[in-house]
Amino acid sequence: MTRKLTACLAITVIALGFATLQVHANGFDADYYAAKYPDVVAELGNDPGVLYQHYVTYGANKGRFQNKQEEIDSCSGQLEVVSIYQADQPNNSTGGNIANLPGGGTYIDVSIASQTVNYYQNGELKLTSPCVTGNVNTGNDTPTGVYSIMTHTPGKFLTGPTWNVWVDRWMRFTPDAAIGLHDATWRSNFGGDIYLTNGSHGCVNLPHEAACQLFDMVTIGTTVVVH
């Protein structure tokens, strides 16, 4: 059976037991998308047409990649920074040399182990807050590495396969999957071991006041270290 999807380029889907997508170099790859985003497959299944529709409706706007080459092209520069950072001898709480981080001593430190967000400005601690990171129990762990604030929005609906919530402060730091720091007014508690069973979909949830304070101190380009 052969079907065609249109997304600037024609995409041919061939079903052979499991759907295999033959695509142009820059086209949508359903096999890649399903493997990269199991949260989508868990909610919608692995039908190529449905996955493509999700990408068009949600994925592209959330920074999700449509194929492996797009991910490589987007992340190559960031991965070089992470490699340099991780190769250094640890000399601060993040486990690497802050001198090699973009912005030096000004950065957001997200500790998954302690469920804490710290903001340093020129090496001086300016804010500390408990947080809730990605739900380990469902495989939605918050990705670790060195990033930077890519979106700095005072109000936004966060949408996904099963959620559509409003946040007052949104600070995205990953180029894919739209992971960011934001307020989570639906939570009454933060920190501890909440993330192990009732964590987020990958974002870093903060109390409303802390999110507002952090938002006012950072901007696009501020370094974010998740470890």
Side-chain angles (χ1 to χ4, degrees):
M1 178 180 67
T2 300
R3 294 179 291 171
K4 288 186 177 181
L5 303 173
T6 303
C8 298
L9 295 173
I11 301 174
T12 302
V13 179
I14 303 175
L16 295 173
F18 293 98
T20 300
L21 195 64
Q22 306 298 326
V23 300
H24 295 285
N26 294 320
F28 179 79
D29 184 339
D31 290 335
Y32 162 84
Y33 200 76
K36 179 72 175 177
Y37 307 115
D39 59 317
V40 178
V41 174
E43 296 298 331
L44 303 177
N46 63 358
D47 179 84
V50 174
L51 293 176
Y52 171 68
Q53 187 59 45
H54 179 274
Y55 171 74
V56 172
T57 306
Y58 297 106
N61 291 331
K62 293 181 64 181
R64 299 194 187 218
F65 300 118
Q66 63 174 320
N67 59 45
K68 184 63 176 179
Q69 189 58 51
E70 186 176 76
E71 177 184 8
I72 293 172
D73 292 344
S74 175
C75 296
S76 58
Q78 180 196 120
L79 293 177
E80 291 175 4
V81 173
V82 173
S83 297
I84 293 172
Y85 172 78
Q86 292 178 336
D88 290 317
Q89 295 298 316
N91 70 349
N92 78 329
S93 64
T94 63
N97 190 343
I98 62 174
N100 280 332
L101 293 174
T106 298
Y107 63 99
I108 302 167
D109 179 274
V110 180
S111 171
I112 294 175
S114 66
Q115 290 293 284
T116 303
V117 170
N118 291 310
Y119 174 63
Y120 294 89
Q121 188 175 75
N122 297 321
E124 181 181 353
L125 180 62
K126 292 294 186 179
L127 179 145
T128 186
S129 171
C131 68
V132 176
T133 57
N135 192 333
V136 174
N137 193 48
T138 58
N140 290 319
D141 308 51
T142 299
T144 59
V146 180
Y147 306 91
S148 62
I149 297 295
M150 304 179 72
T151 302
H152 189 255
T153 307
K156 177 182 174 61
F157 278 106
L158 301 182
T159 60
T162 60
W163 65 91
N164 184 21
V165 297
W166 175 265
V167 297
D168 286 332
R169 300 294 185 269
W170 170 239
M171 295 159 277
R172 177 170 67 90
F173 58 79
T174 63
D176 69 319
I179 304 300
L181 300 113
H182 63 79
D183 54 295
T185 55
W186 52 90
R187 293 189 182 276
S188 57
N189 295 295
F190 296 83
D193 59 1
I194 297 171
Y195 75 108
L196 295 176
T197 56
N198 188 29
S200 71
H201 292 98
C203 286
V204 180
N205 291 179
L206 291 165
H208 188 270
E209 182 178 359
C212 290
Q213 290 176 347
L214 181 64
F215 186 89
D216 290 342
M217 290 188 285
V218 304
T219 187
I220 291 176
T222 299
T223 299
V224 180
V225 179
V226 184
H227 61 99

